[in-house]
Amino acid sequence: MRLTNRLIYGAVEGGGTKFVCMVGTGPADVVDEVTIPTTSPTETIGAVIEFLARKRSGVELAAVGVATFGPIGLDPESDTYGCVLKTTKVEWSGARILSPIGRRLGVPIGWDTDVNGAILGEARWGAARGVDPALYLTIGTGIGGGALVNGSTIHGLLHPEMGHVPVPVLPGDPFPGICSFHGHCLEGVASGPALAARLGRPVEEIPSDDPAWDLEARYLAYGISGLVLALSPKRVVLGGGVMKQARLLPKVRRAFVDVLNGYVDVPDIVEHVDDYLVLSALDQRAGLYGALVLAERALAAPKRGL
Amino acid sequence: MRLTNRLIYGAVEGGGTKFVCMVGTGPADVVDEVTIPTTSPTETIGAVIEFLARKRSGVELAAVGVATFGPIGLDPESDTYGCVLKTTKVEWSGARILSPIGRRLGVPIGWDTDVNGAILGEARWGAARGVDPALYLTIGTGIGGGALVNGSTIHGLLHPEMGHVPVPVLPGDPFPGICSFHGHCLEGVASGPALAARLGRPVEEIPSDDPAWDLEARYLAYGISGLVLALSPKRVVLGGGVMKQARLLPKVRRAFVDVLNGYVDVPDIVEHVDDYLVLSALDQRAGLYGALVLAERALAAPKRGL
């Protein structure tokens, strides 16, 4: 029987409030799925393992991919590989994610940040299909970004932390920003909580014609322009709750072209910015599907045994 | 005779005032070298070709690498491949660099920006040996950067234009910046000409205890921190004329740690910033030696015929 089983992947997207897990091979082949609340590492990872290890008729896990909130240890030579690093979620600081999954399942596991996962998903099935270099940026309760460059995401000193890039203070804006590290970085002035703090009301209650959206667009444009100048992506995919405001994207596009001011003089930006700055096509599922790509890559070239 | 010739590379670094050309295989094997003034494309490229094509006893060119000022066309599928794109040096806008060299020499040619060349040189023989991802930033008459990520430099929409990333206006600084596109971008406030304009005197005449160096360090720190958050390099190499001011580098390191404020919580930054932010080891020769790497790579995997 075993030899006739179809090989599929396990995918896990770990977030601050929930872990979404699936088994399958792509958006059109979701064999099973579950959402697990983020409580303690032991409890949550335990439930993730139970889901992944479940016997399912006719299929068998070949590899697992995990895309999770960070910071996380990505250096296979380091003891912190497979762990969450020091984070504001105190109980998760130092939590081992990969080793318990690997011990139980005995298959290769790929591992990356949620936003690196998201760009892998978008580049495979979403709004950046086949594009490299490509950039994904989520603007929600935080701001984070992932990039695909020369075939892979970026694992360096740590991993990119694009939400915290510096942005200028816009003239006449007295808001000091809410980032506990930097005050006025991109996340500090343009995340959902920043927008809410600026206006003293939840983002969902800000009218679509409030001038705050123009300010938001301009701050995002500064952040995106810096990332574009650093990474030269062929497309930028935007996701996250704040981008649900339908009038925001056109404003961001205009502000982005305005901020660059003709400096990157290519038709993609000057003439076709609507195809350059685009919304996520996979929405909340980008990281989860990206985890499937991580699984596939782990199977092709296992980075290290667990 | 021909079969006994040693195979070597040609390397060209093209700058706004001069083209430096060499033949050899590395810093310890410079067989011949020449410096050619940058005049018209026809005259300058003609002289480059004459130098490269010269017969030299016992050696033979296997490939050529060219690292030059930009913007340049790097997309092998585009008609602009091998050309300088629209630039403020009007006579060079649209100039074909690669095709005349290729026609005359008939060997594979690699091609990249001067700063992408510089990081390839530093990563091979200089201050970032074996490091990937790694970042090179030159602070001189302009500011530019190149990065090595996942084994290659970044060729995307165009190529990185790191000098123009946005930076905040520092409190109490009335200087509007001199960038003709952005006013107050990194290059607009922290390049050599910006520093000179701010103080009304040439950079070489600014005393080493002038408070302007603290401001300069802080602007550079903001620029570098944004690039580090975007690219997560394992080391940052700084070059260019402005960095010749010996008191600047320690100030940049302190300001960089201060600006990040513990956010990227890794020993490389928090404890060992002196090994993280370092000066170029190849100085003016980084791009030239990087062109040797481009030649070597072109030989290994020729990107396109000319």
Side-chain angles (χ1 to χ4, degrees):
Chain A
M1 282 299 285
R2 186 183 161 89
L3 282 174
T4 65
N5 280 351
R6 182 164 73 97
L7 291 177
I8 60 172
Y9 302 121
V12 179
E13 190 193 11
T17 59
K18 61 182 193 288
F19 274 58
V20 182
C21 310
M22 66 165 276
V23 293
T25 61
D29 177 34
V30 179
V31 173
D32 197 359
E33 179 166 338
V34 72
T35 296
I36 295 160
T38 305
T39 57
S40 71
T42 309
E43 189 174 45
T44 302
I45 300 303
V48 167
I49 292 171
E50 287 321 305
F51 170 79
L52 293 173
R54 197 173 300 159
K55 293 281 173 216
R56 293 175 182 89
S57 171
V59 296
E60 187 176 327
L61 278 197
V64 170
V66 179
T68 175
F69 70 90
I72 61 175
L74 289 170
D75 176 3
E77 304 303 317
S78 165
D79 286 346
T80 62
Y81 184 78
C83 299
V84 176
L85 303 180
K86 203 163 83 182
T87 162
T88 47
K89 279 182 91 70
V90 178
E91 208 180 350
W92 285 78
S93 289
R96 299 200 165 272
I97 308 284
L98 288 207
S99 54
I101 301 177
R103 268 199 306 272
R104 174 71 176 271
L105 297 172
V107 296
I109 308 188
W111 155 255
D112 214 327
T113 63
D114 45 6
V115 280
N116 274 343
I119 190 58
L120 290 176
E122 294 287 348
R124 180 68 167 274
W125 292 289
R129 235 175 279 194
V131 177
D132 179 351
L135 174 64
Y136 173 89
L137 203 65
T138 176
I139 301 105
T141 53
I143 296 183
L148 179 67
V149 179
N150 292 321
S152 300
T153 56
I154 305 177
H155 295 183
L157 182 64
L158 190 60
H159 40 71
E161 286 285 2
M162 301 185 189
H164 293 260
V165 295
V167 286
V169 177
L170 290 176
D173 180 20
F175 184 63
I178 60 163
C179 174
S180 60
F181 290 91
H182 313 114
H184 198 281
C185 63
L186 181 62
E187 179 170 299
V189 293
S191 62
L195 199 50
R198 176 192 294 282
L199 297 189
R201 57 167 98 177
V203 172
E204 309 77 57
E205 293 176 18
I206 302 171
S208 67
D209 60 353
D210 194 297
W213 291 113
D214 296 298
L215 202 61
E216 173 74 9
R218 200 149 181 96
Y219 276 124
L220 290 175
Y222 270 106
I224 295 166
S225 75
L227 295 168
V228 164
L229 291 164
L231 290 155
S232 201
K234 291 179 177 170
R235 192 169 300 150
V236 178
V237 179
L238 302 174
V242 172
M243 294 309 301
K244 302 284 181 201
Q245 167 53 250
R247 290 177 68 173
L248 181 57
L249 179 62
K251 288 179 195 288
V252 174
R253 287 173 175 153
R254 279 196 298 275
F256 171 72
V257 172
D258 191 53
V259 161
L260 281 180
N261 195 24
Y263 184 68
V264 181
D265 187 15
V266 292
D268 304 65
I269 289 178
V270 181
E271 295 166 25
H272 308 295
V273 70
D274 292 3
D275 300 324
Y276 184 71
L277 279 187
V278 301
L279 288 184
S280 164
L282 304 177
D283 199 23
Q284 311 281 346
R285 316 271 294 178
L288 180 66
Y289 295 147
L292 288 174
V293 179
L294 293 170
E296 184 184 77
R297 291 181 170 211
L299 186 63
K303 270 206 168 167
R304 99 175 211 163
L306 287 152
Chain B
M1 281 299 284
R2 186 181 161 88
L3 283 174
T4 65
N5 281 349
R6 181 166 75 98
L7 292 177
I8 61 173
Y9 302 121
V12 179
E13 190 193 10
T17 60
K18 62 182 195 286
F19 274 58
V20 182
C21 311
M22 67 164 276
V23 293
T25 62
D29 177 32
V30 179
V31 172
D32 197 359
E33 179 167 337
V34 72
T35 296
I36 295 161
T38 305
T39 57
S40 72
T42 310
E43 188 174 47
T44 301
I45 300 304
V48 166
I49 291 171
E50 287 322 305
F51 170 79
L52 292 173
R54 197 174 298 159
K55 293 280 175 220
R56 293 175 182 88
S57 170
V59 296
E60 188 177 327
L61 279 197
V64 170
V66 179
T68 175
F69 70 90
I72 62 175
L74 288 169
D75 175 2
E77 305 303 317
S78 164
D79 287 345
T80 63
Y81 183 79
C83 299
V84 177
L85 304 181
K86 203 163 83 181
T87 160
T88 48
K89 280 182 91 70
V90 179
E91 208 180 352
W92 285 78
S93 289
R96 297 198 167 273
I97 308 285
L98 287 207
S99 54
I101 301 177
R103 268 198 307 272
R104 174 69 176 273
L105 297 172
V107 296
I109 308 187
W111 155 256
D112 215 325
T113 63
D114 46 6
V115 281
N116 274 344
I119 190 60
L120 289 175
E122 294 287 347
R124 179 68 167 274
W125 291 290
R129 234 174 281 192
V131 176
D132 180 350
L135 174 64
Y136 173 88
L137 203 65
T138 176
I139 301 105
T141 52
I143 295 183
L148 179 67
V149 179
N150 292 321
S152 301
T153 56
I154 305 177
H155 296 183
L157 182 63
L158 190 61
H159 40 71
E161 286 285 2
M162 301 185 190
H164 293 260
V165 295
V167 287
V169 177
L170 290 176
D173 180 19
F175 185 64
I178 61 163
C179 174
S180 59
F181 289 92
H182 313 114
H184 198 281
C185 63
L186 181 62
E187 179 170 298
V189 294
S191 62
L195 200 50
R198 175 192 294 282
L199 296 188
R201 57 168 96 177
V203 172
E204 309 77 57
E205 293 176 18
I206 301 171
S208 67
D209 60 352
D210 194 299
W213 292 113
D214 295 298
L215 202 61
E216 173 74 9
R218 202 150 179 94
Y219 277 124
L220 290 175
Y222 271 106
I224 295 166
S225 75
L227 295 168
V228 164
L229 291 164
L231 289 155
S232 202
K234 290 179 177 169
R235 192 169 300 149
V236 178
V237 179
L238 301 174
V242 172
M243 293 309 301
K244 301 284 180 202
Q245 168 52 252
R247 291 178 68 173
L248 181 56
L249 179 62
K251 288 179 193 287
V252 174
R253 286 172 174 153
R254 279 196 297 276
F256 171 72
V257 173
D258 191 52
V259 161
L260 282 180
N261 195 25
Y263 184 67
V264 182
D265 188 14
V266 293
D268 303 65
I269 289 178
V270 181
E271 295 165 25
H272 308 296
V273 71
D274 291 4
D275 300 324
Y276 184 72
L277 281 187
V278 301
L279 288 183
S280 163
L282 305 176
D283 200 22
Q284 311 282 346
R285 318 269 297 175
L288 181 65
Y289 295 146
L292 289 174
V293 180
L294 293 170
E296 185 184 75
R297 291 181 171 210
L299 187 63
K303 270 207 168 168
R304 97 175 212 164
L306 287 150

